[in-house]
Amino acid sequence: MFESVLVANRGEIAVRVIRTLRRLGIRSVAVFSDADRDARHVLEADEALYLGATPARESYLNIERVLDACTRSGANAVHPGYGFLSENPSFADACVASGVVFIGPPSAAIRLMGDKIQAKIHVAASGVPVVPGRVEAGMTDDDLILAAEEIGFPVLVKPSAGGGGKGMQLVERGVDLAGALASARREGTASFGDDSLFIERFIERPRHIEVQVLADQFGAVVQLGERECSLQRRHQKVIEESPSPLIDDATRERLSAAAVAAARSVDYTGVGTVEFIVAATRPDEFFFIEMNTRLQVEHPVTEMVTGLDLVEQQLRVAAGEHLSDVVKAARIDGHSVEARIYAESPRRGFLPTSGRVLEVHEPAGDGVRIDSALLEGLEVASDYDPMLAKVVTWGRDRATALARLAQALDETVIFGVETNVGFLRRLVTNPDVVAGDLDTGLIEREVASLVATEPSMEMFALYALSWVSRLSSRGPMTDPWSALRGWRLGGRDEPLTLRVASAGGVTDVLNVSGPLDAANVTLNGAPPMVAGLGQRGDEAFITFNDEVHRAWYRVEGMTTWVRVGAETWSFVEEDDSTRTRRTASTSDDVRSPMPGTVVSVRASANHVVRAGDALVVVSAMKMEHVLVAPRDGTIDILVREGDSVVVDEVVARLVPLNASTEISS
């Protein structure tokens, strides 16, 4: 076994790999960029070495610097995690040339399976079923348009290189195809350095099923069960589980055999995943999508149901060991579900968010596992993938695993950065999800019911009571003499009026009166509700209309972070300066909805644009967002390509065509 392993990654996967290295007594070496100097993986490793500046191409994607870090640290192996260099065959070759073991499959397998076109052709020759489409190298836009007409709409346009849904475009009408091709090529180039595309039939109500495979260097290949990954948004997985509630035993056997055949066909070694698409209406019919030649984000659910540590198995295979009898005899026990926590704003179209993590509370208990990069004080920027953590649960059956996940999400608290935790809680309790009636379009169909677009009355009440009691850093001050206002001798409280900005530029007015344990709270003049604030040990609770809810809150300057159940909201106390800033903007200002980098300016300054015309493209956390003109007018562009922008920054300003000009003497 290796004495020292360098983890060529960051975030929660780096922390997770380091955990296994520590358990096995292997020295861990972390690497970091400027943005990650104080990151959790840096603090938990035995040694950490600086790679370079924040942009990934100058740090985590710089092969020369990663290998130099191996030399400086004395690491004799590299674990690439997922993303970054994990599926880069040139990196695998460079490791071998440098005498460093690459903990992953041979570069030939990475290269073949990394080319989605060649991969489909190759596995089809081995008898693995593939989705109907046109899968050829070097197709032009004209070739792709012709292929789409032959296949029939709807179609999926996919980059040949890479994976993870990056650049994938669903096209339902011929008129939209040209734009989709341009976007897919651009994202393919940005994410993988390759703009090659292919096209295939879109399977109606598709379900995404994948099989975990593991192979040693001596020809042994095993499958470790399937995972259901159908709950997706923009082709990115959100919830994964094992086993799939759709697949019966007969189909499971055929599916597993196809996955093993695909792995054998490329002389695969190590951990890999063979992905299939299955029509919800034809669960016995499956088609190969791709093979991921690395550890998957969702590998913990397989670990939970098999009892195996897949990172340990990667290390053992890379060190030249045979698959053990325990691995070969592994069987599925119970059910496991995983939820991915992202730094994103569901109420703003799931756009990436950023900020400093003020407070973290992660759940624990029977059947609960957390893979996390979170630390209090961590600066979450827009430079890398937005995933912060994963919450994983296990149960004897699916219902138990889902119930435990819902409870774990209720107990997951992250203040300072907006996340999708509340959305995830709604999703895992959605009736169709509970019933196992899934497909990759479910989230898009149900998004209105899954996203909280404004705070609940419980949120407003907790905010009002927390303001009155003026919080300490962790919970309410129980000493009334420490309160800034709102309490006096005799148990009667002075009425208080609050103006607060909560969402969408709306100012809400709150009135609160009465004692903290039974206050009357009024929102915008509506009939009052009775709410009370209490504490049991270290836990705070709000009683709202006689119902008790676990509550969390924190005051940070002008902002109060509030949480009831799995929902988190931030309220900004309004004074004259904040109101002035909020009223100064106009609807003719085009603002960036997320922090990021301007990658394209589509319009020229002082030119007339029409409503819906593309103006500026902002990229953050591997996602592009096109900002468009809200109406007809003359445009003034305020940014240039390469500029960094913050959330709500004005990037363009429109002068409507019918605007009058006021002349003063």
Side-chain angles (χ1 to χ4, degrees), residues 89-416:
S90 297
F91 178 58
D93 286 335
C95 287
V96 173
S98 299
V100 176
V101 175
F102 175 75
I103 301 175
S107 62
I110 299 173
R111 189 169 280 109
L112 176 56
M113 287 303 184
D115 184 329
K116 301 302 181 285
I117 294 174
Q118 293 303 317
K120 286 178 178 289
I121 295 171
H122 179 84
V123 301
S126 301
V128 178
V130 299
V131 179
R134 187 166 174 186
V135 187
E136 300 172 11
M139 284 195 288
T140 66
D141 284 4
D142 288 342
D143 294 332
L144 292 162
I145 291 171
L146 180 61
E149 293 172 351
E150 294 172 350
I151 297 168
F153 292 93
V155 297
L156 277 179
V157 177
K158 297 184 177 182
S160 175
K166 299 294 188 299
M168 189 184 303
Q169 302 283 333
L170 169 61
V171 185
E172 302 186 71
R173 305 180 305 163
V175 68
D176 299 324
L177 184 56
L181 295 175
S183 179
R185 289 197 190 278
R186 185 171 59 252
E187 290 194 46
T189 300
S191 299
F192 318 116
D194 186 345
D195 72 348
S196 300
L197 304 176
F198 66 95
I199 198 165
E200 63 187 23
R201 188 180 82 196
F202 177 71
I203 304 297
E204 299 288 349
R205 290 206 65 204
R207 293 181 70 143
H208 188 130
I209 311 293
E210 61 187 30
V211 178
Q212 180 72 67
V213 295
L214 174 61
D216 63 21
Q217 299 176 21
F218 308 98
V221 184
V222 298
Q223 57 82 24
L224 298 174
E226 85 281 357
R227 295 185 289 253
E228 172 92 47
C229 306
S230 297
L231 291 174
Q232 302 180 8
R233 185 185 53 77
R234 297 173 183 157
H235 309 296
Q236 288 280 8
K237 301 165 188 173
V238 177
I239 302 283
E240 302 99 346
E241 60 184 300
S242 180
S244 166
L246 175 71
I247 304 301
D248 60 26
D249 289 341
T251 304
R252 180 170 291 115
E253 184 174 346
R254 293 169 45 235
L255 191 71
S256 299
V260 169
R264 287 190 188 281
S265 74
V266 291
D267 297 323
Y268 198 81
T269 64
V271 165
T273 301
V274 185
E275 304 198 359
F276 298 90
I277 194 168
V278 180
T281 55
R282 293 288 305 275
D284 60 333
E285 183 180 64
F286 54 84
F287 302 104
F288 172 88
I289 305 174
E290 62 183 356
M291 182 175 187
N292 285 296
T293 54
R294 54 171 167 79
L295 194 69
Q296 289 280 87
V297 174
E298 57 271 23
H299 75 275
V301 296
T302 296
E303 294 182 327
M304 295 287 269
V305 296
T306 62
L308 298 175
D309 182 329
L310 293 184
V311 173
E312 177 183 347
Q313 297 307 317
Q314 286 184 296
L315 293 165
R316 294 193 179 283
V317 168
E321 296 185 16
H322 289 266
L323 294 184
S324 69
D325 291 339
V326 172
V327 170
K328 292 178 180 178
R331 296 292 181 269
I332 303 300
D333 177 27
H335 201 97
S336 182
V337 192
E338 172 184 288
R340 302 185 185 193
I341 297 178
Y342 287 106
E344 64 182 10
S345 174
R347 62 191 173 91
R348 300 183 68 165
F350 297 92
L351 294 175
T353 58
S354 61
R356 181 169 64 91
V357 178
L358 303 175
E359 187 169 343
V360 178
H361 175 83
E362 294 176 336
D366 291 341
V368 177
R369 165 178 168 176
I370 306 298
D371 284 13
S372 172
L374 287 166
L375 283 175
E376 291 182 10
L378 175 71
E379 291 287 346
V380 177
S382 60
D383 304 285
Y384 308 118
D385 189 276
M387 189 165 62
L388 301 175
K390 300 177 300 195
V391 181
V392 193
T393 57
W394 177 90
R396 280 292 170 193
D397 51 40
R398 186 171 184 267
T400 302
L402 281 173
R404 283 179 172 172
L405 182 56
Q407 178 64 30
L409 291 169
D410 276 348
E411 298 176 5
T412 302
V413 179
I414 304 166
F415 283 166

Side-chain angles (χ1 to χ4, degrees), residues 400-546:
T400 302
L402 281 173
R404 283 179 172 172
L405 182 56
Q407 178 64 30
L409 291 169
D410 276 348
E411 298 176 5
T412 302
V413 179
I414 304 166
F415 283 166
V417 179
E418 188 173 357
T419 70
N420 65 334
V421 173
F423 160 79
L424 293 172
R425 174 63 168 80
R426 282 186 166 92
L427 180 58
V428 300
T429 56
N430 174 275
D432 287 339
V433 173
V434 172
D437 185 14
L438 317 174
D439 63 75
T440 58
L442 184 147
I443 290 178
E444 299 303 326
R445 292 194 304 271
E446 301 289 332
V447 68
S449 65
L450 298 174
V451 174
T453 56
E454 60 183 26
S456 65
M457 188 58 204
E458 291 92 333
M459 293 286 188
F460 280 112
L462 180 56
Y463 165 75
L465 295 179
S466 66
W467 203 99
V468 171
S469 64
R470 267 318 192 192
L471 310 177
S472 66
S473 61
R474 289 180 179 274
M477 286 183 175
T478 55
D479 177 9
W481 300 102
S482 301
L484 296 183
R485 60 180 299 182
W487 182 91
R488 63 187 180 185
L489 287 173
R492 297 185 64 80
D493 298 292
E494 176 187 349
L496 178 67
T497 298
L498 300 169
R499 294 176 61 86
V500 57
S502 57
V506 176
T507 298
D508 293 293
V509 178
L510 281 164
N511 290 282
V512 57
S513 62
L516 284 177
D517 60 353
N520 288 313
V521 181
T522 300
L523 174 65
N524 297 328
M529 300 292 181
V530 179
L533 192 58
Q535 191 166 2
R536 301 175 188 169
D538 294 332
E539 295 185 353
F541 290 85
I542 180 172
T543 304
F544 185 79
N545 287 349
D546 296 325

